[in-house]
Amino acid sequence: MDPKFAEYAHPEALVDTDWLAEHLGDANLVVVESDEDVLLYDTGHIPGAVKVDWHTDLNDPVTRDYVDGERFAQICGERGIARDTTVVFYGDKNNWWACYALWVFSLFGHPDVRILDGGRAKWIAEGRELTTEVPEPAPVEYPVVERDDSTIRAFKDDVLAHLGKPLVDVRSPGEYSGELLHMPDYPQEGAVRGGHIPGAASVPWARAAAEDGTFKPRAELEAIYLEEQGLEPDDEVIAYCRIGERSSHTWFVLTHLLGFPKVRNYDGSWTEWGNSVRVPIVQGPERGSVS
Amino acid sequence: MSLPEALQELVDDFSGVGPKDRLQLLLELSQELPELPERYADAAETMEQVHECQSPLFLAVEVEPAGDQLVHLFFSAPPEAPTTRGFAAIMHIGLDGQPAQTVLEVPDAFYTALGLGQAVSPLRLRGMAAMLARIKNQVRRAVAGQQSPA
């Protein structure tokens, strides 16, 4: 394993490409590809990997929510994932969706979930094998587990009650300040107000990633989140973005790489907050505060 | 209002199969999106970006100045964005070479008939709606420009 992993709070939450290449086909290991693009897996994927799509698999088709325990059990079971299976997630876009899928698996308390550091891009850059052959795993039993929405997930009311405590806005600076909603003539990206939640620090998710899409070493992450932003490991932190995908990346960094025990992801994020009546909003580059 | 024949054929192809096969069809179309001609290949900045697509998509529209004012469409999207490429291919196959008026008359919500909502998610389909809206805008501008005296 990459020696930098040992510095992280939970080194077991990561694997590197060498390790994965050696362990492909291991009993009780399932590799899951999760991408922004629903067809990318089908153009070629790591041999033996199965697809979990964030939208069509993990979201409830009607209510804006995640699937329930029964559906989750079905999604896992038909992919050969049992409760004690090691699940390694990887994907496009610096593992955004891989982190998102890992976070949803964590809502159901799946015990052994890991990220392939560097994701799909690194695997391909290293010239490793891809296949279009879709595996047909033998279905296994996965227990129906009730989703825990109270520990690592935040709802709008939780955020309102949290105001004054640390929030991390991981969107781009333009989205944070509110400028990006002012695109004349074109449909808006789903929010009627621009800006950020009062007091939120602006730390775009990408700052945690190196050029090759791998996570930065622990010391560099601490320089950003602890020294520069003043977060303390014991802080209760809520991260958000537009729909909760980029903030899953930051949730993973704070929780598993830096070892913050009390981090929640606000999946309603800006598409909920920026459309809600009478919630406080700050525009411009300053954090602002709750008056 | 009927669709141009090529577009109607695509709609029929999609609606004639189940959700899984619709994805497969979209994947095949994504592989058939033509390469950019040389005059655009090195000039991405002259193309319009469709911001509503999840992945970068660039679009150029040309309208022939004479006759039926036939519309020509050019798209650029990376291979890592097969869904976006598939949407672009639907536009290309369905609308390229059609008269400007025919393109402008395509119903904005035609894509709902493809039945991709379930397989792809409604959120991702917004990119296709935006693509058509931007194509129509460019066609309108080109037609207006051709009508005004030089």
Side-chain angles (χ1 to χ4, degrees), chain A residues 193-220:
Chain A
R193 288 290 187 270
H196 56 269
I197 300 175
S202 172
V203 192
W205 68 273
R207 295 191 58 196
E211 292 248 322
D212 61 357
T214 57
F215 291 106
K216 285 181 179 166
R218 182 163 187 167
E220 289 179 41

Side-chain angles (χ1 to χ4, degrees), chain A residues 133-183:
Chain A
E133 196 179 314
V134 177
E136 289 173 11
V140 298
E141 278 295 317
Y142 195 94
V144 175
V145 181
E146 198 185 340
R147 207 178 60 219
D148 173 7
D149 287 337
S150 63
T151 311
I152 60 169
R153 185 180 187 192
F155 296 101
K156 190 184 87 181
D157 286 346
D158 300 327
V159 178
L160 282 167
H162 181 89
L163 290 178
K165 292 187 218 168
L167 282 156
V168 180
D169 183 319
V170 316
R171 297 172 300 160
S172 61
E175 290 171 283
Y176 178 84
S177 67
E179 281 163 50
L180 265 193
L181 280 183
H182 298 276
M183 267 201 302

